[in-house]
Structures are given as C-alpha cells and as structure tokens.
Amino acid sequence: GLLVMFNLENLSRIESAHGEKAGETALRLVARALEAEIRGMDSAARVQKDEFVLLFADTNLELALTRLQN
C-alpha cells in the first residue's frame, strides 16, 4: 500500500479573495475528486483544515502515481 499526505496550497488565498464560503466549496470539490478516484479498499480523510491523507491499499507505485495525477 501507499500513504499519501497533501494539502490544498491556495485555500487561504481563495478565502481571502472570495470569502470563507468559496474556501468551503473548494474543500468540497477536493472531497468529491477523492471520492471519485479511490476504490472501496482505499481510504481518504481530511486531517486538518487544508490537509488530506490517502491510503491506497494493495497497489504499486506506478498505479498510485497515475491515480494521484488524475
């Protein structure tokens, strides 16, 4: 398996320019993208305001990288 951690770099910039509601919308879009890309055996979670964790079970690096790029 593979554990991936990432953050939404521009969240504070989005909120500053367009308001907190726009930031929430951006977070929802990320959540929907994660839901669409992970399999039933994988897990995705938001661990802090702008940080996410993905656990890809039973995968190899090449397949995981392709899925992350999607």
Side-chain angles (χ1 to χ4, degrees):
L2 182 68
L3 179 67
V4 179
M5 298 177 70
F6 68 96
N7 66 339
L8 188 57
E9 285 289 324
N10 294 324
L11 182 60
S12 60
R13 197 175 298 164
I14 291 168
E15 290 177 338
S16 293
H18 305 287
E20 194 170 306
K21 190 166 186 156
E24 291 175 16
T25 300
L27 290 169
R28 284 192 190 102
L29 288 171
V30 170
R32 285 188 197 128
L34 293 175
E35 281 182 331
E37 193 58 38
I38 65 172
R39 305 165 297 176
M41 69 179 84
D42 299 331
S43 294
R46 182 175 164 202
V47 292
Q48 289 191 8
K49 183 175 180 172
D50 63 348
E51 293 181 359
F52 296 84
V53 174
L54 296 172
L55 176 60
F56 292 134
D58 192 29
T59 191
N60 61 45
L61 184 58
E62 185 177 318
L63 178 60
L65 287 173
T66 299
R67 292 174 57 215
L68 285 170
Q69 290 174 346
N70 288 340

Short mmCIF file of all heavy atoms in Angstrom, two decimals:
data_model
loop_
_atom_site.label_atom_id
_atom_site.label_comp_id
_atom_site.label_asym_id
_atom_site.label_seq_id
_atom_site.Cartn_x
_atom_site.Cartn_y
_atom_site.Cartn_z
N GLY A 1 0.82 -1.18 0.00
CA GLY A 1 0.00 0.00 0.00
C GLY A 1 0.86 1.25 0.00
O GLY A 1 2.08 1.20 0.04
N LEU A 2 0.18 2.37 -0.06
CA LEU A 2 0.87 3.65 -0.11
C LEU A 2 0.05 4.68 0.67
O LEU A 2 -1.17 4.78 0.51
CB LEU A 2 1.00 4.10 -1.57
CG LEU A 2 1.73 5.39 -1.84
CD1 LEU A 2 3.21 5.25 -1.49
CD2 LEU A 2 1.58 5.79 -3.29
N LEU A 3 0.73 5.44 1.53
CA LEU A 3 0.11 6.52 2.28
C LEU A 3 0.57 7.84 1.69
O LEU A 3 1.77 8.07 1.54
CB LEU A 3 0.51 6.43 3.76
CG LEU A 3 -0.06 7.53 4.66
CD1 LEU A 3 -1.57 7.37 4.78
CD2 LEU A 3 0.59 7.47 6.03
N VAL A 4 -0.38 8.70 1.35
CA VAL A 4 -0.08 9.99 0.73
C VAL A 4 -0.70 11.10 1.57
O VAL A 4 -1.87 11.02 1.94
CB VAL A 4 -0.66 10.06 -0.70
CG1 VAL A 4 -0.37 11.40 -1.34
CG2 VAL A 4 -0.15 8.92 -1.55
N MET A 5 0.10 12.11 1.86
CA MET A 5 -0.40 13.29 2.57
C MET A 5 -0.23 14.50 1.65
O MET A 5 0.80 14.64 1.00
CB MET A 5 0.38 13.49 3.86
CG MET A 5 0.24 12.36 4.84
SD MET A 5 1.23 12.57 6.32
CE MET A 5 0.34 13.90 7.10
N PHE A 6 -1.23 15.36 1.60
CA PHE A 6 -1.11 16.58 0.80
C PHE A 6 -1.99 17.67 1.39
O PHE A 6 -2.86 17.41 2.20
CB PHE A 6 -1.46 16.32 -0.68
CG PHE A 6 -2.90 16.02 -0.92
CD1 PHE A 6 -3.78 17.01 -1.30
CD2 PHE A 6 -3.39 14.73 -0.81
CE1 PHE A 6 -5.11 16.74 -1.54
CE2 PHE A 6 -4.71 14.43 -1.05
CZ PHE A 6 -5.58 15.45 -1.42
N ASN A 7 -1.72 18.89 0.98
CA ASN A 7 -2.56 19.99 1.43
C ASN A 7 -2.99 20.84 0.25
O ASN A 7 -2.38 20.84 -0.80
CB ASN A 7 -1.86 20.82 2.51
CG ASN A 7 -0.65 21.56 2.01
OD1 ASN A 7 -0.07 21.21 0.99
ND2 ASN A 7 -0.26 22.58 2.72
N LEU A 8 -4.07 21.55 0.48
CA LEU A 8 -4.63 22.46 -0.52
C LEU A 8 -3.93 23.80 -0.35
O LEU A 8 -4.26 24.60 0.52
CB LEU A 8 -6.14 22.59 -0.30
CG LEU A 8 -6.94 23.34 -1.34
CD1 LEU A 8 -6.77 22.72 -2.71
CD2 LEU A 8 -8.41 23.35 -0.94
N GLU A 9 -2.91 24.03 -1.16
CA GLU A 9 -2.00 25.16 -1.01
C GLU A 9 -2.68 26.52 -1.02
O GLU A 9 -2.32 27.40 -0.28
CB GLU A 9 -0.95 25.15 -2.12
CG GLU A 9 0.12 24.12 -1.95
CD GLU A 9 1.08 24.45 -0.81
OE1 GLU A 9 1.39 25.63 -0.59
OE2 GLU A 9 1.50 23.51 -0.14
N ASN A 10 -3.66 26.71 -1.85
CA ASN A 10 -4.23 28.04 -2.05
C ASN A 10 -5.50 28.30 -1.26
O ASN A 10 -6.20 29.27 -1.55
CB ASN A 10 -4.50 28.27 -3.54
CG ASN A 10 -3.21 28.32 -4.34
OD1 ASN A 10 -2.21 28.82 -3.85
ND2 ASN A 10 -3.24 27.78 -5.53
N LEU A 11 -5.80 27.48 -0.27
CA LEU A 11 -7.05 27.65 0.46
C LEU A 11 -7.15 29.02 1.11
O LEU A 11 -8.16 29.71 0.98
CB LEU A 11 -7.23 26.55 1.50
CG LEU A 11 -8.54 26.61 2.28
CD1 LEU A 11 -9.74 26.49 1.35
CD2 LEU A 11 -8.58 25.52 3.35
N SER A 12 -6.11 29.45 1.79
CA SER A 12 -6.16 30.77 2.45
C SER A 12 -6.28 31.90 1.43
O SER A 12 -6.96 32.90 1.66
CB SER A 12 -4.95 30.98 3.36
OG SER A 12 -3.76 30.91 2.62
N ARG A 13 -5.64 31.74 0.29
CA ARG A 13 -5.72 32.75 -0.77
C ARG A 13 -7.14 32.80 -1.34
O ARG A 13 -7.67 33.88 -1.61
CB ARG A 13 -4.71 32.42 -1.87
CG ARG A 13 -4.44 33.59 -2.78
CD ARG A 13 -3.36 33.30 -3.79
NE ARG A 13 -2.10 33.02 -3.11
CZ ARG A 13 -1.06 32.44 -3.68
NH1 ARG A 13 -1.11 32.09 -4.95
NH2 ARG A 13 0.05 32.23 -3.00
N ILE A 14 -7.75 31.63 -1.52
CA ILE A 14 -9.14 31.57 -2.01
C ILE A 14 -10.06 32.26 -1.03
O ILE A 14 -10.91 33.07 -1.41
CB ILE A 14 -9.57 30.10 -2.23
CG1 ILE A 14 -8.81 29.50 -3.41
CG2 ILE A 14 -11.08 30.00 -2.45
CD1 ILE A 14 -8.96 27.99 -3.54
N GLU A 15 -9.89 31.95 0.27
CA GLU A 15 -10.75 32.55 1.29
C GLU A 15 -10.53 34.07 1.38
O GLU A 15 -11.50 34.82 1.56
CB GLU A 15 -10.51 31.90 2.65
CG GLU A 15 -11.02 30.48 2.70
CD GLU A 15 -10.73 29.78 4.00
OE1 GLU A 15 -9.79 30.18 4.72
OE2 GLU A 15 -11.44 28.82 4.31
N SER A 16 -9.31 34.52 1.25
CA SER A 16 -9.03 35.96 1.31
C SER A 16 -9.65 36.70 0.14
O SER A 16 -10.21 37.79 0.30
CB SER A 16 -7.52 36.21 1.31
OG SER A 16 -6.95 35.74 2.49
N ALA A 17 -9.56 36.11 -1.04
CA ALA A 17 -10.06 36.78 -2.24
C ALA A 17 -11.56 36.65 -2.43
O ALA A 17 -12.20 37.57 -2.94
CB ALA A 17 -9.34 36.22 -3.47
N HIS A 18 -12.13 35.50 -2.01
CA HIS A 18 -13.53 35.22 -2.36
C HIS A 18 -14.42 34.88 -1.17
O HIS A 18 -15.61 34.62 -1.36
CB HIS A 18 -13.59 34.07 -3.36
CG HIS A 18 -12.77 34.32 -4.59
ND1 HIS A 18 -13.14 35.22 -5.56
CD2 HIS A 18 -11.58 33.80 -4.99
CE1 HIS A 18 -12.22 35.24 -6.52
NE2 HIS A 18 -11.27 34.39 -6.19
N GLY A 19 -13.84 34.83 0.02
CA GLY A 19 -14.65 34.55 1.21
C GLY A 19 -14.57 33.10 1.66
O GLY A 19 -14.14 32.22 0.93
N GLU A 20 -15.00 32.91 2.90
CA GLU A 20 -14.93 31.59 3.52
C GLU A 20 -15.80 30.56 2.81
O GLU A 20 -15.45 29.39 2.72
CB GLU A 20 -15.34 31.70 4.99
CG GLU A 20 -14.97 30.48 5.80
CD GLU A 20 -15.17 30.72 7.28
OE1 GLU A 20 -14.62 31.69 7.81
OE2 GLU A 20 -15.89 29.89 7.88
N LYS A 21 -16.93 31.00 2.30
CA LYS A 21 -17.83 30.08 1.58
C LYS A 21 -17.14 29.50 0.34
O LYS A 21 -17.29 28.33 0.02
CB LYS A 21 -19.12 30.79 1.20
CG LYS A 21 -20.17 29.85 0.70
CD LYS A 21 -21.52 30.52 0.66
CE LYS A 21 -22.56 29.49 0.28
NZ LYS A 21 -23.88 29.83 0.73
N ALA A 22 -16.36 30.31 -0.35
CA ALA A 22 -15.60 29.82 -1.51
C ALA A 22 -14.56 28.80 -1.07
O ALA A 22 -14.32 27.80 -1.77
CB ALA A 22 -14.94 30.98 -2.24
N GLY A 23 -13.93 29.02 0.08
CA GLY A 23 -12.98 28.05 0.61
C GLY A 23 -13.65 26.72 0.92
O GLY A 23 -13.10 25.66 0.62
N GLU A 24 -14.84 26.78 1.51
CA GLU A 24 -15.60 25.56 1.78
C GLU A 24 -15.96 24.84 0.48
O GLU A 24 -15.91 23.61 0.42
CB GLU A 24 -16.86 25.89 2.57
CG GLU A 24 -16.59 26.34 3.98
CD GLU A 24 -17.85 26.79 4.71
OE1 GLU A 24 -18.97 26.49 4.25
OE2 GLU A 24 -17.70 27.47 5.74
N THR A 25 -16.31 25.59 -0.53
CA THR A 25 -16.63 25.00 -1.82
C THR A 25 -15.40 24.30 -2.41
O THR A 25 -15.50 23.20 -2.95
CB THR A 25 -17.15 26.06 -2.79
OG1 THR A 25 -18.34 26.64 -2.24
CG2 THR A 25 -17.46 25.48 -4.16
N ALA A 26 -14.24 24.92 -2.29
CA ALA A 26 -13.00 24.31 -2.78
C ALA A 26 -12.73 23.00 -2.05
O ALA A 26 -12.35 22.00 -2.67
CB ALA A 26 -11.83 25.27 -2.62
N LEU A 27 -12.93 22.99 -0.74
CA LEU A 27 -12.72 21.75 0.03
C LEU A 27 -13.70 20.66 -0.40
O LEU A 27 -13.33 19.49 -0.50
CB LEU A 27 -12.87 22.04 1.53
CG LEU A 27 -11.75 22.86 2.14
CD1 LEU A 27 -12.12 23.32 3.54
CD2 LEU A 27 -10.45 22.08 2.15
N ARG A 28 -14.93 21.04 -0.67
CA ARG A 28 -15.92 20.05 -1.14
C ARG A 28 -15.53 19.48 -2.51
O ARG A 28 -15.71 18.30 -2.78
CB ARG A 28 -17.30 20.68 -1.21
CG ARG A 28 -17.94 20.85 0.13
CD ARG A 28 -19.42 21.21 0.01
NE ARG A 28 -19.92 21.59 1.30
CZ ARG A 28 -20.13 22.84 1.69
NH1 ARG A 28 -19.93 23.85 0.85
NH2 ARG A 28 -20.58 23.12 2.90
N LEU A 29 -14.99 20.34 -3.38
CA LEU A 29 -14.54 19.86 -4.69
C LEU A 29 -13.40 18.85 -4.55
O LEU A 29 -13.38 17.83 -5.25
CB LEU A 29 -14.11 21.04 -5.56
CG LEU A 29 -15.22 21.93 -6.09
CD1 LEU A 29 -14.63 23.17 -6.75
CD2 LEU A 29 -16.11 21.17 -7.05
N VAL A 30 -12.48 19.12 -3.64
CA VAL A 30 -11.39 18.16 -3.40
C VAL A 30 -11.96 16.85 -2.86
O VAL A 30 -11.59 15.77 -3.31
CB VAL A 30 -10.35 18.75 -2.42
CG1 VAL A 30 -9.36 17.68 -1.98
CG2 VAL A 30 -9.63 19.92 -3.05
N ALA A 31 -12.90 16.95 -1.94
CA ALA A 31 -13.51 15.74 -1.37
C ALA A 31 -14.21 14.91 -2.45
O ALA A 31 -14.08 13.69 -2.48
CB ALA A 31 -14.49 16.11 -0.26
N ARG A 32 -14.93 15.57 -3.34
CA ARG A 32 -15.61 14.85 -4.43
C ARG A 32 -14.61 14.19 -5.37
O ARG A 32 -14.82 13.07 -5.83
CB ARG A 32 -16.51 15.80 -5.21
CG ARG A 32 -17.76 16.14 -4.47
CD ARG A 32 -18.73 16.93 -5.35
NE ARG A 32 -19.70 17.56 -4.49
CZ ARG A 32 -20.00 18.85 -4.52
NH1 ARG A 32 -19.43 19.65 -5.39
NH2 ARG A 32 -20.89 19.34 -3.69
N ALA A 33 -13.53 14.90 -5.67
CA ALA A 33 -12.49 14.31 -6.53
C ALA A 33 -11.87 13.08 -5.87
O ALA A 33 -11.62 12.08 -6.54
CB ALA A 33 -11.42 15.36 -6.84
N LEU A 34 -11.63 13.16 -4.58
CA LEU A 34 -11.08 12.00 -3.87
C LEU A 34 -12.06 10.83 -3.88
O LEU A 34 -11.67 9.69 -4.12
CB LEU A 34 -10.73 12.37 -2.43
CG LEU A 34 -9.58 13.36 -2.26
CD1 LEU A 34 -9.42 13.73 -0.79
CD2 LEU A 34 -8.28 12.79 -2.81
N GLU A 35 -13.32 11.11 -3.63
CA GLU A 35 -14.35 10.05 -3.65
C GLU A 35 -14.41 9.37 -5.01
O GLU A 35 -14.58 8.16 -5.10
CB GLU A 35 -15.73 10.63 -3.33
CG GLU A 35 -15.98 10.86 -1.89
CD GLU A 35 -17.38 11.38 -1.65
OE1 GLU A 35 -17.96 12.06 -2.52
OE2 GLU A 35 -17.90 11.11 -0.56
N ALA A 36 -14.27 10.14 -6.07
CA ALA A 36 -14.35 9.60 -7.42
C ALA A 36 -13.14 8.74 -7.76
O ALA A 36 -13.23 7.83 -8.59
CB ALA A 36 -14.49 10.73 -8.44
N GLU A 37 -12.01 9.00 -7.14
CA GLU A 37 -10.77 8.34 -7.53
C GLU A 37 -10.40 7.15 -6.66
O GLU A 37 -9.70 6.26 -7.12
CB GLU A 37 -9.62 9.35 -7.52
CG GLU A 37 -8.37 8.89 -8.20
CD GLU A 37 -8.57 8.49 -9.66
OE1 GLU A 37 -9.34 9.15 -10.37
OE2 GLU A 37 -7.95 7.50 -10.08
N ILE A 38 -10.87 7.10 -5.41
CA ILE A 38 -10.46 5.99 -4.56
C ILE A 38 -11.36 4.78 -4.75
O ILE A 38 -12.53 4.91 -5.12
CB ILE A 38 -10.39 6.39 -3.07
CG1 ILE A 38 -11.76 6.75 -2.51
CG2 ILE A 38 -9.41 7.53 -2.86
CD1 ILE A 38 -11.77 6.95 -1.01
N ARG A 39 -10.78 3.63 -4.50
CA ARG A 39 -11.54 2.38 -4.58
C ARG A 39 -12.13 2.06 -3.21
O ARG A 39 -11.80 2.70 -2.22
CB ARG A 39 -10.61 1.24 -5.00
CG ARG A 39 -9.87 1.52 -6.31
CD ARG A 39 -8.72 0.58 -6.51
NE ARG A 39 -7.74 0.78 -5.44
CZ ARG A 39 -6.65 0.04 -5.27
NH1 ARG A 39 -6.38 -0.94 -6.10
NH2 ARG A 39 -5.82 0.28 -4.29
N GLY A 40 -12.99 1.06 -3.16
CA GLY A 40 -13.62 0.67 -1.90
C GLY A 40 -12.62 0.27 -0.82
O GLY A 40 -12.86 0.46 0.36
N MET A 41 -11.49 -0.26 -1.23
CA MET A 41 -10.47 -0.69 -0.27
C MET A 41 -9.54 0.44 0.16
O MET A 41 -8.76 0.29 1.07
CB MET A 41 -9.64 -1.84 -0.84
CG MET A 41 -8.75 -1.43 -2.00
SD MET A 41 -7.77 -2.78 -2.66
CE MET A 41 -8.93 -3.54 -3.77
N ASP A 42 -9.62 1.60 -0.49
CA ASP A 42 -8.79 2.75 -0.15
C ASP A 42 -9.49 3.61 0.89
O ASP A 42 -10.68 3.46 1.13
CB ASP A 42 -8.52 3.59 -1.40
CG ASP A 42 -7.78 2.84 -2.49
OD1 ASP A 42 -7.02 1.92 -2.15
OD2 ASP A 42 -7.97 3.18 -3.66
N SER A 43 -8.75 4.53 1.47
CA SER A 43 -9.34 5.47 2.43
C SER A 43 -8.83 6.87 2.14
O SER A 43 -7.69 7.05 1.73
CB SER A 43 -8.94 5.10 3.86
OG SER A 43 -9.49 3.87 4.22
N ALA A 44 -9.69 7.84 2.39
CA ALA A 44 -9.32 9.25 2.26
C ALA A 44 -9.88 9.98 3.46
O ALA A 44 -10.99 9.68 3.92
CB ALA A 44 -9.87 9.84 0.97
N ALA A 45 -9.12 10.94 3.98
CA ALA A 45 -9.59 11.70 5.14
C ALA A 45 -9.00 13.10 5.11
O ALA A 45 -7.89 13.31 4.62
CB ALA A 45 -9.18 10.99 6.42
N ARG A 46 -9.75 14.01 5.66
CA ARG A 46 -9.26 15.37 5.89
C ARG A 46 -8.76 15.38 7.33
O ARG A 46 -9.50 15.09 8.25
CB ARG A 46 -10.40 16.36 5.70
CG ARG A 46 -10.00 17.80 5.87
CD ARG A 46 -11.18 18.68 5.53
NE ARG A 46 -10.97 20.02 6.02
CZ ARG A 46 -11.95 20.86 6.26
NH1 ARG A 46 -13.20 20.50 6.05
NH2 ARG A 46 -11.68 22.06 6.69
N VAL A 47 -7.49 15.72 7.53
CA VAL A 47 -6.91 15.65 8.86
C VAL A 47 -6.76 17.02 9.52
O VAL A 47 -6.68 17.10 10.75
CB VAL A 47 -5.55 14.91 8.86
CG1 VAL A 47 -5.76 13.44 8.54
CG2 VAL A 47 -4.57 15.53 7.91
N GLN A 48 -6.68 18.07 8.75
CA GLN A 48 -6.69 19.44 9.26
C GLN A 48 -7.44 20.28 8.26
O GLN A 48 -7.95 19.78 7.27
CB GLN A 48 -5.27 19.96 9.47
CG GLN A 48 -4.56 19.30 10.63
CD GLN A 48 -3.27 20.01 10.99
OE1 GLN A 48 -2.94 21.07 10.48
NE2 GLN A 48 -2.53 19.42 11.91
N LYS A 49 -7.49 21.58 8.50
CA LYS A 49 -8.30 22.45 7.64
C LYS A 49 -8.00 22.26 6.16
O LYS A 49 -8.92 22.16 5.35
CB LYS A 49 -8.08 23.92 8.03
CG LYS A 49 -8.94 24.86 7.23
CD LYS A 49 -8.83 26.28 7.69
CE LYS A 49 -9.73 27.15 6.83
NZ LYS A 49 -9.83 28.49 7.32
N ASP A 50 -6.71 22.21 5.80
CA ASP A 50 -6.36 22.10 4.39
C ASP A 50 -5.49 20.88 4.08
O ASP A 50 -4.88 20.82 3.03
CB ASP A 50 -5.66 23.38 3.92
CG ASP A 50 -4.34 23.63 4.64
OD1 ASP A 50 -4.08 22.95 5.65
OD2 ASP A 50 -3.58 24.49 4.19
N GLU A 51 -5.44 19.92 5.00
CA GLU A 51 -4.59 18.74 4.81
C GLU A 51 -5.43 17.47 4.68
O GLU A 51 -6.40 17.28 5.40
CB GLU A 51 -3.61 18.59 5.98
CG GLU A 51 -2.59 19.71 6.01
CD GLU A 51 -1.60 19.58 7.16
OE1 GLU A 51 -1.71 18.61 7.95
OE2 GLU A 51 -0.72 20.43 7.25
N PHE A 52 -5.00 16.63 3.76
CA PHE A 52 -5.70 15.38 3.47
C PHE A 52 -4.72 14.21 3.50
O PHE A 52 -3.52 14.39 3.29
CB PHE A 52 -6.32 15.45 2.07
CG PHE A 52 -7.39 16.49 1.93
CD1 PHE A 52 -7.06 17.80 1.65
CD2 PHE A 52 -8.71 16.15 2.08
CE1 PHE A 52 -8.03 18.78 1.52
CE2 PHE A 52 -9.70 17.12 1.96
CZ PHE A 52 -9.36 18.43 1.67
N VAL A 53 -5.25 13.02 3.75
CA VAL A 53 -4.47 11.79 3.74
C VAL A 53 -5.21 10.78 2.87
O VAL A 53 -6.43 10.66 2.94
CB VAL A 53 -4.30 11.21 5.16
CG1 VAL A 53 -3.62 9.87 5.12
CG2 VAL A 53 -3.52 12.15 6.03
N LEU A 54 -4.45 10.09 2.04
CA LEU A 54 -4.98 9.00 1.23
C LEU A 54 -4.22 7.73 1.58
O LEU A 54 -3.00 7.75 1.71
CB LEU A 54 -4.78 9.27 -0.26
CG LEU A 54 -5.49 10.45 -0.87
CD1 LEU A 54 -5.01 10.66 -2.30
CD2 LEU A 54 -6.97 10.24 -0.84
N LEU A 55 -4.94 6.64 1.71
CA LEU A 55 -4.32 5.34 1.90
C LEU A 55 -4.75 4.47 0.74
O LEU A 55 -5.93 4.13 0.61
CB LEU A 55 -4.73 4.71 3.23
CG LEU A 55 -4.20 3.31 3.48
CD1 LEU A 55 -2.68 3.29 3.48
CD2 LEU A 55 -4.75 2.75 4.77
N PHE A 56 -3.81 4.17 -0.14
CA PHE A 56 -4.06 3.28 -1.27
C PHE A 56 -3.63 1.88 -0.86
O PHE A 56 -2.45 1.62 -0.67
CB PHE A 56 -3.27 3.70 -2.51
CG PHE A 56 -3.72 5.00 -3.11
CD1 PHE A 56 -2.80 5.95 -3.48
CD2 PHE A 56 -5.06 5.27 -3.33
CE1 PHE A 56 -3.19 7.15 -4.06
CE2 PHE A 56 -5.47 6.46 -3.89
CZ PHE A 56 -4.54 7.40 -4.26
N ALA A 57 -4.59 0.99 -0.70
CA ALA A 57 -4.29 -0.38 -0.29
C ALA A 57 -4.00 -1.23 -1.53
O ALA A 57 -4.54 -0.98 -2.61
CB ALA A 57 -5.47 -0.96 0.47
N ASP A 58 -3.16 -2.21 -1.36
CA ASP A 58 -2.88 -3.19 -2.40
C ASP A 58 -2.63 -2.54 -3.76
O ASP A 58 -3.36 -2.76 -4.73
CB ASP A 58 -4.03 -4.20 -2.48
CG ASP A 58 -3.66 -5.41 -3.34
OD1 ASP A 58 -2.47 -5.75 -3.41
OD2 ASP A 58 -4.58 -6.00 -3.94
N THR A 59 -1.61 -1.72 -3.83
CA THR A 59 -1.27 -1.02 -5.07
C THR A 59 0.24 -0.99 -5.24
O THR A 59 0.98 -1.36 -4.35
CB THR A 59 -1.84 0.42 -5.07
OG1 THR A 59 -1.72 0.97 -6.37
CG2 THR A 59 -1.14 1.31 -4.08
N ASN A 60 0.67 -0.56 -6.40
CA ASN A 60 2.10 -0.34 -6.61
C ASN A 60 2.32 1.13 -6.89
O ASN A 60 1.38 1.89 -7.12
CB ASN A 60 2.64 -1.23 -7.74
CG ASN A 60 1.98 -0.95 -9.08
OD1 ASN A 60 1.80 0.19 -9.47
ND2 ASN A 60 1.61 -2.00 -9.78
N LEU A 61 3.56 1.55 -6.88
CA LEU A 61 3.88 2.97 -7.01
C LEU A 61 3.40 3.54 -8.35
O LEU A 61 2.83 4.62 -8.40
CB LEU A 61 5.38 3.19 -6.85
CG LEU A 61 5.86 4.63 -6.87
CD1 LEU A 61 5.18 5.45 -5.79
CD2 LEU A 61 7.37 4.70 -6.71
N GLU A 62 3.59 2.81 -9.43
CA GLU A 62 3.20 3.31 -10.75
C GLU A 62 1.69 3.55 -10.83
O GLU A 62 1.24 4.60 -11.29
CB GLU A 62 3.63 2.32 -11.83
CG GLU A 62 3.37 2.80 -13.24
CD GLU A 62 3.89 1.81 -14.27
OE1 GLU A 62 4.99 1.27 -14.09
OE2 GLU A 62 3.17 1.60 -15.25
N LEU A 63 0.90 2.59 -10.36
CA LEU A 63 -0.55 2.74 -10.38
C LEU A 63 -0.99 3.87 -9.46
O LEU A 63 -1.84 4.69 -9.84
CB LEU A 63 -1.23 1.44 -9.95
CG LEU A 63 -2.74 1.42 -9.86
CD1 LEU A 63 -3.36 1.74 -11.21
CD2 LEU A 63 -3.23 0.07 -9.36
N ALA A 64 -0.40 3.96 -8.29
CA ALA A 64 -0.76 5.03 -7.35
C ALA A 64 -0.43 6.40 -7.92
O ALA A 64 -1.22 7.34 -7.78
CB ALA A 64 -0.06 4.80 -6.02
N LEU A 65 0.72 6.54 -8.56
CA LEU A 65 1.09 7.83 -9.14
C LEU A 65 0.12 8.25 -10.25
O LEU A 65 -0.25 9.42 -10.35
CB LEU A 65 2.52 7.79 -9.67
CG LEU A 65 3.62 7.80 -8.62
CD1 LEU A 65 4.98 7.59 -9.27
CD2 LEU A 65 3.59 9.06 -7.81
N THR A 66 -0.30 7.30 -11.05
CA THR A 66 -1.27 7.60 -12.11
C THR A 66 -2.58 8.08 -11.49
O THR A 66 -3.16 9.08 -11.94
CB THR A 66 -1.52 6.35 -12.97
OG1 THR A 66 -0.29 5.97 -13.58
CG2 THR A 66 -2.55 6.62 -14.04
N ARG A 67 -3.02 7.41 -10.47
CA ARG A 67 -4.28 7.79 -9.80
C ARG A 67 -4.14 9.15 -9.13
O ARG A 67 -5.08 9.95 -9.15
CB ARG A 67 -4.70 6.71 -8.83
CG ARG A 67 -5.11 5.45 -9.59
CD ARG A 67 -5.40 4.28 -8.69
NE ARG A 67 -6.42 4.59 -7.75
CZ ARG A 67 -6.45 4.12 -6.51
NH1 ARG A 67 -5.50 3.32 -6.09
NH2 ARG A 67 -7.42 4.44 -5.70
N LEU A 68 -3.00 9.44 -8.54
CA LEU A 68 -2.80 10.75 -7.90
C LEU A 68 -2.81 11.86 -8.92
O LEU A 68 -3.34 12.95 -8.68
CB LEU A 68 -1.46 10.76 -7.14
CG LEU A 68 -1.47 10.00 -5.83
CD1 LEU A 68 -0.05 9.86 -5.30
CD2 LEU A 68 -2.37 10.69 -4.81
N GLN A 69 -2.22 11.63 -10.09
CA GLN A 69 -2.22 12.64 -11.14
C GLN A 69 -3.63 12.92 -11.64
O GLN A 69 -3.96 14.05 -12.00
CB GLN A 69 -1.30 12.25 -12.27
CG GLN A 69 0.16 12.31 -11.88
CD GLN A 69 1.08 11.79 -12.95
OE1 GLN A 69 0.64 11.13 -13.90
NE2 GLN A 69 2.36 12.06 -12.81
N ASN A 70 -4.47 11.90 -11.66
CA ASN A 70 -5.87 12.10 -12.07
C ASN A 70 -6.56 13.02 -11.08
O ASN A 70 -7.38 13.83 -11.44
CB ASN A 70 -6.60 10.77 -12.15
CG ASN A 70 -6.17 9.95 -13.33
OD1 ASN A 70 -5.60 10.46 -14.28
ND2 ASN A 70 -6.37 8.65 -13.25
#
